[in-house]
Amino acid sequence: VTGFGVAAILWRTDWGDRGSLWDWQMHPGTSVWAITLAMLGTAATGVLTEIVLNGIVRTRTRGGHRVAVLRDQFSIAPALTLSVVTAGPVAALIAPVLGVASFAVALIPMVVTHVAVRQFVANRETHRSTILTMSRLTERSGHTMPGHPERVAEISVTLGRRLGLSDRELRELEFAALLHDVGQLTLVEPIPAGATVLVAPQDQRLIAHAGAMIVARTPGMRPVANLVEEQSVPFR
């Protein structure tokens, strides 16, 4: 609603000698391409306004670094914005030829984008569910305490947001936190309560390395595997 409102205000506002953009585009001497660019510009401005407001809302509701949230919003904006802002100008340009059917034709890019995004989200949720199932293997085998991976992941993601990590980095951090103890599955005798801090530093590195090797076997999980392996390296 905000995006449409901003675009409408820009299009109907009186800008001086030529009046509003609506009056300007009705002038017989106005180029069709100039009108198209003006339409795209006003639509893009409306969408960008919506993106900024959405980022501010996300920062308030989920916490985190405002600059990082806006950076993530704008990183995904160009691909999605193009399919949204072109619908209006396309409908306007082909309306003299197709009439009412022009609206249905112009909405095709938006429909295709909507389907693709839904499929992407579904695949991501399936992937996360698989990671969550893997993280519980150490609980079922008696190597770690129940709920430990989820608690570590929650704390890690909270700290990551405050540090300004991007969505991609937060997702990799969450997966690494969920799987950080998977290397304990290679132990013959479980560590009491799964506390790797109770074993020697050399053993901690071996457990982390074993976990990283297990995680790395999953396609696309190399960055997560690197985080799992580096958990045994002291920060200071």
Side-chain angles (χ1 to χ4, degrees):
V1 173
T2 303
F4 276 114
V6 170
I9 290 172
L10 290 175
W11 196 254
R12 304 292 298 202
T13 299
D14 191 335
W15 297 102
D17 295 338
R18 288 185 173 271
S20 66
L21 289 173
W22 173 263
D23 299 326
W24 166 76
Q25 62 96 19
M26 295 293 288
H27 194 276
T30 306
S31 168
V32 173
W33 290 107
I35 297 172
T36 303
L37 290 175
M39 286 180 174
L40 288 173
T42 53
T45 302
V47 173
L48 291 177
T49 302
E50 189 174 332
I51 289 172
V52 172
L53 293 177
N54 196 24
I56 295 173
V57 171
R58 280 190 58 190
T59 304
R60 285 184 167 274
T61 56
R62 297 175 53 186
H65 203 281
R66 181 170 297 178
V67 174
V69 172
L70 289 176
R71 183 185 63 221
D72 288 333
Q73 292 283 345
F74 280 102
S75 67
I76 65 174
L80 297 178
T81 300
L82 186 61
S83 67
V84 175
V85 303
T86 54
V90 168
L93 291 173
I94 65 178
V97 179
L98 296 182
V100 178
S102 62
F103 292 102
V105 174
L107 287 175
I108 291 177
M110 292 185 67
V111 173
V112 173
T113 302
H114 177 70
V115 173
V117 169
R118 287 192 59 154
Q119 185 61 47
F120 174 77
V121 172
N123 291 341
R124 176 177 286 185
E125 287 301 317
T126 301
H127 183 54
R128 188 180 184 280
S129 298
T130 303
I131 298 299
L132 195 58
T133 301
M134 289 178 59
S135 71
R136 290 170 179 160
L137 293 176
T138 54
E139 299 179 13
R140 299 299 176 87
S141 62
H143 285 83
T144 59
M145 301 294 290
H148 173 67
E150 288 90 342
R151 288 192 294 271
V152 174
E154 182 180 355
I155 294 172
S156 299
V157 171
T158 299
L159 292 174
R161 282 202 184 101
R162 294 184 181 181
L163 291 172
L165 299 185
S166 65
D167 275 348
R168 178 184 57 81
E169 292 170 326
L170 286 174
R171 189 163 55 254
E172 292 172 353
L173 177 63
E174 180 188 21
F175 290 168
L178 288 170
L179 300 173
H180 75 282
D181 275 333
V182 74
Q184 293 196 37
L185 294 173
T186 61
L187 299 177
V188 178
E189 292 291 335
I191 302 171
T196 52
V197 293
L198 299 178
V199 302
Q202 177 64 22
D203 293 330
Q204 294 180 28
R205 287 191 290 271
L206 290 175
I207 294 172
H209 179 72
M213 291 300 99
I214 295 173
V215 174
R217 291 179 178 272
T218 305
M221 292 283 283
R222 171 52 64 178
V224 177
N226 292 339
L227 291 177
V228 172
E229 179 141 26
E230 292 171 2
Q231 67 175 303
S232 61
V233 181
F235 178 66
R236 301 189 186 278

